[in-house]
Amino acid sequence: MELEKVLTACTRDCPGSCSIIACVEKGKIASLKGNPDHPYTQGFLCPITAKYLQKRHYNSQRVLNPLLKVENQWKKISWNQALDIVAEKLSKNVKDYGSESILYYQGFGARTALRILNKRFFNLLGGVSTLYGTVCGGIGQAGQEMDMGTRISHDPEDHLNSRNIIIWGRNPAITDIHLWKIIKKAQNQGINTIVIDPVKTRTARRVSQFYQPKPNSDAYLALALAKIIIRDQLHDMEFIKNHSENFFNYLQIVDKYSLEDLSLKCDISLENIEELAHIYIDGPSSIITGWGLHRYKQGHLTFRMIDALAAVSGNIGVSGGGVSQGFDEYGFFDHSWNADELAPMARKLSMPTIGQAILDAQDPTIKMIFITAGNPVAMCPNSAKVKKALKSVDFVVMVDHFLNDTSQVADLFLPATNFLEELDLVGGYGHNVVAPINPAIKPRGEARSELWIFQQLSKMLGFADDMKGSAGEWLEKLASPLIKEGFTIDEIMKTPIRVPSSPQTPYSDKKFFTRSRKFRFISRFEMAEKENEKFSLRLLSIMPEKWIGSEIPEEEYGEGYLEVNVNPLIIEYEGLKEGDLAFLESKIASLPVIIRADKESRIDCVSTYRGGWMCFNKCVNVLTEDIISDRGDGTPYYETQVSIKKMI
Ligand code: SF4
């Protein structure tokens, strides 16, 4: 029997947004395959999504009915009952305490065009409290905006025009497999590939050079490289003179530090710094920055120093050069449909410190929280505080696929559809392509799309007309920037398209989005020194290989504790051995962990995986401090330092 093939795309928190062919047989999805017609992902599907049917879509633990918590037990209820409860709670809170007593928490678990309308719903409701800041990459974006007025990355294919590719604080072999494919292609073409990372990742093992600096010292390393380039008169004076400002202030920073100082600060030998500087200047050289660099309070300084290095060496605005961070996956859609103009002054709470922000909110206090596609207890820093904050609120609604840490403190669970069951569009934060999502099958059980949920509620709350329209009609509106580029909505829904206006090589005209239209060199640089004798090990929580975010099937947890990688010298010093159970202590908490000896781990770091759940003792964010970055409202997870304590 001929299988029906339906084109959809992965909507999870991953830079790929891969286009997928779902093969359907008798109303059931038999298999998922990569779509070879996606200009970037080209038919390759990652091992995580290759198992999506078994581990997520058809998993027996998936919630397929609305659930209400009654006396601490989940009880199945009908959609009519669930929607009545939500509508009643929303309107009562708006009436009694004002719309800002409701917090809408939009997570990053599904990133599609139609999700722009969720915000519209809450604006039509009167403007609820929402989030500002991010637990993702805002810090680097802020740094690049200071230098260039905006953040635009090179098309990933343009890295093939480089002579050297420097992968800085990123592990694409695990976290961005399509970028990794390009890097492997580059290697086959003889392009030099280099990794700079405090952790020896899988990517680091597969490149020609690897440098392992002290965490949060990357700005010093970038400064040292630029210092050598200037010392050896290899800088690009044409760019500096005609297309930049603040160069002399920057030079003063360069002069302030000796190479010996910088080498000590980043813990890379002078010899290696010299070597790297001379590789880099033999360009064009592209720098691909990763999320690791965003995880510090002053992370924007790192990005600014890396941008300055690229500018000094003439690598900005040239094919095969640049400093590429990522793409704005929502940049391809028309945001005005979120109707922010209806509630421009509505309160915003900080996402990086969401637990404290909820607890501190006054006039009005937070009475109700509505969460979509997010697991803030496991993924935000200071998990215990986030949990306590959610618990302190009268009513928490969550829309998701599985019960998790957050559902433990939720009152109502609404089952959501996934990318095999809905119509939508998705952009990517790893490339410039927009891909269609078509429903391959009817939603399982009683799962419903977020659009459907908000449209039902809008009917009950008296603003149905402002939310009405089929998914297809809304997508035509949301995709208007693409339609202006010459596509019809039918074309957009039929096959992935690379957005033509996205540049292959940004800033090739050497015009920037700053006021002067010039590149702006960093002119002030002061890094706070972090010394804490009690907690001397940097806690690095890296992206795992086997799951996305906190999407770990419950049945895979089993017994045990979070495993952490520690240098054997530290293990010995603490009187421990490989496999021992010990406590990892930060300023805010203590967590039992299993010690794993890793001789390639730096002696000032402990590394582990993020995304584990608190209820299984595997949540690293129990230890991470809830603070916010100096710029970009980001989450400095890696500011947390820990110590290891033997169990008695
Ligand atoms: S998880 Fe990432 S790499 Fe895997 S299918 Fe989804 S977008 Fe592609």
Side-chain angles (χ1 to χ4, degrees):
M1 181 181 168
E2 182 83 352
L3 292 178
E4 189 196 351
K5 293 182 177 167
V6 181
L7 197 59
T8 184
C10 180
T11 60
R12 299 196 279 170
D13 186 0
C14 174
S17 301
C18 297
S19 184
I20 296 173
I21 299 168
C23 304
V24 184
E25 190 179 8
K26 294 185 188 156
K28 211 169 171 237
I29 303 175
S31 63
L32 300 178
K33 293 186 168 52
N35 172 17
D37 294 332
H38 189 288
Y40 182 54
T41 64
Q42 295 182 344
F44 186 70
L45 203 58
C46 71
I48 305 176
T49 298
K51 294 184 188 138
Y52 188 83
L53 291 178
Q54 159 211 350
K55 296 209 173 187
R56 304 284 300 171
H57 181 72
Y58 287 122
N59 187 319
S60 61
Q61 302 278 323
R62 182 175 166 196
V63 180
L64 298 172
N65 301 83
L67 301 175
L68 178 69
K69 206 176 266 167
V70 182
E71 291 171 358
N72 226 15
Q73 297 292 320
W74 287 113
K75 185 184 146 210
K76 275 186 201 172
I77 57 170
S78 69
W79 267 107
N80 283 345
Q81 288 170 308
L83 292 169
D84 278 347
I85 293 169
V86 181
E88 193 268 325
K89 298 270 181 204
L90 288 171
S91 61
K92 184 169 176 355
N93 281 309
V94 171
K95 189 162 147 275
D96 292 354
Y97 307 105
S99 55
E100 288 179 344
S101 67
I102 299 158
L103 169 66
Y104 174 46
Y105 183 105
Q106 186 164 27
F108 297 141
R111 297 166 170 244
T112 65
L114 285 179
R115 264 98 182 165
I116 290 172
L117 301 177
N118 298 6
K119 192 84 186 301
R120 178 180 180 84
F121 170 86
F122 287 105
N123 280 327
L124 289 163
L125 189 65
V128 304
S129 297
T130 52
L131 303 169
Y132 73 89
T134 172
V135 289
C136 194
I139 298 173
Q141 186 149 349
Q144 291 212 305
E145 283 169 4
M146 291 167 90
D147 299 331
M148 293 177 272
T150 187
R151 176 198 69 166
I152 312 177
S153 292
H154 284 237
D155 189 285
E157 298 276 348
D158 189 53
H159 303 313
L160 296 171
N161 299 320
S162 308
R163 199 185 281 257
N164 306 292
I165 301 174
I166 300 194
I167 306 155
W168 203 325
R170 189 165 181 147
N171 182 16
I174 299 293
T175 62
D176 193 347
I177 53 163
H178 303 290
L179 177 62
W180 181 234
K181 236 176 99 189
I182 286 188
I183 290 165
K184 284 203 295 192
K185 192 169 169 191
Q187 289 174 330
N188 290 336
Q189 289 180 11
I191 297 168
N192 199 16
T193 53
I194 296 145
V195 164
I196 303 172
D197 201 312
V199 178
K200 189 157 185 183
T201 59
R202 180 177 294 184
T203 306
R205 291 174 206 285
R206 288 165 167 73
V207 293
S208 45
Q209 267 111 339
F210 169 53
Y211 302 91
Q212 196 170 16
K214 190 172 164 183
N216 201 25
S217 70
D218 309 83
Y220 295 117
L221 179 56
L223 191 54
L225 299 174
K227 192 173 173 81
I228 291 170
I229 288 167
I230 295 167
R231 180 200 68 192
D232 294 353
Q233 300 193 347
L234 298 170
H235 51 279
D236 181 348
M237 191 45 92
E238 194 281 323
F239 179 88
I240 294 168
K241 229 173 170 173
N242 299 319
H243 307 294
S244 80
E245 58 184 357
N246 288 348
F247 180 64
F248 286 103
N249 306 65
Y250 170 67
L251 262 190
Q252 284 172 4
I253 305 171
V254 174
D255 275 353
K256 194 173 150 194
Y257 297 91
S258 69
L259 280 174
E260 289 73 17
D261 285 343
L262 294 168
S263 160
L264 275 176
K265 281 185 182 294
C266 62
D267 195 21
I268 300 287
S269 70
L270 275 175
E271 194 190 359
N272 281 347
I273 294 175
E274 291 277 353
E275 172 193 63
L276 181 55
H278 285 102
I279 293 171
Y280 180 67
I281 196 64
D282 185 22
S285 298
S286 68
I287 297 178
I288 304 172
T289 58
W291 290 275
L293 299 176
H294 295 258
R295 303 287 185 241
Y296 301 97
K297 198 157 185 304
Q298 294 177 291
H300 67 289
L301 295 177
T302 301
F303 282 89
R304 296 204 71 190
M305 278 300 177
I306 292 175
D307 287 347
L309 167 66
V312 158
S313 59
N315 271 302
I316 301 272
V318 298
S319 177
V323 182
S324 297
Q325 263 185 47
F327 301 80
D328 180 1
E329 72 274 26
Y330 276 107
F332 310 117
F333 304 119
D334 180 356
H335 281 251
S336 66
W337 292 104
N338 68 14
D340 267 352
E341 74 284 358
L342 295 177
M345 304 303 283
R347 178 169 65 183
K348 290 189 188 300
L349 304 185
S350 144
M351 190 180 204
T353 58
I354 190 62
Q356 194 63 48
I358 293 168
L359 293 168
D360 287 348
Q362 295 293 329
D363 301 325
T365 55
I366 300 294
K367 297 284 177 191
M368 179 175 182
I369 302 180
F370 198 112
I371 302 168
T372 55
N375 183 4
V377 171
M379 297 305 287
C380 290
N382 201 338
S383 296
K385 196 191 282 178
V386 177
K387 195 167 180 181
K388 178 179 163 197
L390 293 180
K391 224 171 169 175
S392 74
V393 170
D394 291 350
F395 202 77
V396 176
V397 182
M398 67 182 284
V399 183
D400 215 319
H401 304 125
F402 289 85
L403 298 176
N404 55 28
D405 273 343
T406 299
S407 62
Q408 293 206 339
V409 278
D411 300 283
L412 184 70
F413 187 103
L414 303 178
T417 46
N418 61 35
F419 59 83
L420 299 170
E421 300 162 329
E422 24 181 70
L423 186 77
D424 214 326
L425 282 170
V426 67
Y429 60 90
H431 51 69
N432 289 311
V433 179
V434 171
I437 299 162
N438 291 291
I441 55 161
K442 286 196 186 125
R444 283 197 66 209
E446 294 187 23
R448 295 290 179 267
S449 71
E450 290 175 23
L451 178 65
W452 182 88
I453 294 170
F454 288 118
Q455 285 184 326
Q456 298 308 306
L457 289 170
S458 71
K459 284 182 201 160
M460 300 163 87
L461 293 162
F463 51 88
D465 281 354
D466 294 304
M467 287 294 291
K468 81 169 180 223
S470 67
E473 285 162 350
W474 274 115
L475 286 171
E476 188 159 4
K477 293 176 188 166
L478 291 160
S480 62
L482 297 170
I483 291 168
K484 279 193 197 120
E485 293 211 26
F487 299 98
T488 65
I489 190 67
D490 290 344
E491 285 166 336
I492 297 167
M493 295 311 298
K494 214 172 266 166
T495 188
I497 48 170
R498 186 191 181 280
V499 180
S501 59
S502 302
Q504 191 83 3
T505 303
Y507 316 113
S508 55
D509 58 358
K510 308 289 193 287
K511 294 270 180 281
F512 298 90
F513 292 86
T514 54
R515 199 173 295 162
S516 62
R517 305 295 315 269
K518 292 185 170 182
F519 178 89
R520 200 188 290 135
F521 276 99
I522 180 171
S523 57
R524 266 193 313 194
F525 176 65
E526 266 172 50
M527 293 276 281
E529 296 292 330
K530 194 162 177 133
E531 295 299 340
N532 187 330
E533 286 208 352
K534 183 166 180 220
F535 305 108
S536 57
L537 302 166
R538 215 39 107 140
L539 177 60
L540 307 179
S541 46
I542 57 178
M543 289 268 289
E545 189 178 338
K546 292 192 179 146
W547 64 84
I548 302 284
S550 60
E551 290 184 354
I552 313 165
E554 215 177 312
E555 61 273 16
E556 287 184 15
Y557 274 100
E559 298 293 308
Y561 298 93
L562 187 70
E563 298 191 356
V564 297
N565 303 313
V566 188
N567 186 288
L569 275 175
I570 302 294
I571 297 177
E572 190 188 348
Y573 179 82
E574 298 293 347
L576 293 162
K577 54 183 190 323
E578 149 78 27
D580 271 359
L581 188 59
F583 284 114
L584 208 57
E585 290 190 340
S586 72
K587 262 194 225 159
I588 62 164
S590 175
L591 186 72
V593 294
I594 304 280
I595 301 291
R596 291 281 170 232
D598 174 11
K599 63 180 187 323
E600 283 163 338
S601 175
R602 284 185 55 93
I603 54 164
D604 48 8
C605 298
V606 168
S607 69
T608 187
Y609 291 111
R610 66 198 281 251
W613 295 4
M614 198 176 166
C615 58
F616 294 110
N617 268 318
K618 302 246 169 100
C619 179
V620 67
N621 285 325
V622 164
L623 298 168
T624 51
E625 293 159 40
D626 47 334
I627 49 176
I628 191 163
S629 62
D630 289 358
R631 294 288 181 133
D633 301 317
T635 307
Y637 290 96
Y638 295 176
E639 289 293 342
T640 296
Q641 291 188 212
V642 291
S643 62
I644 299 171
K645 200 171 156 206
K646 199 171 175 176
M647 278 192 179
I648 300 168

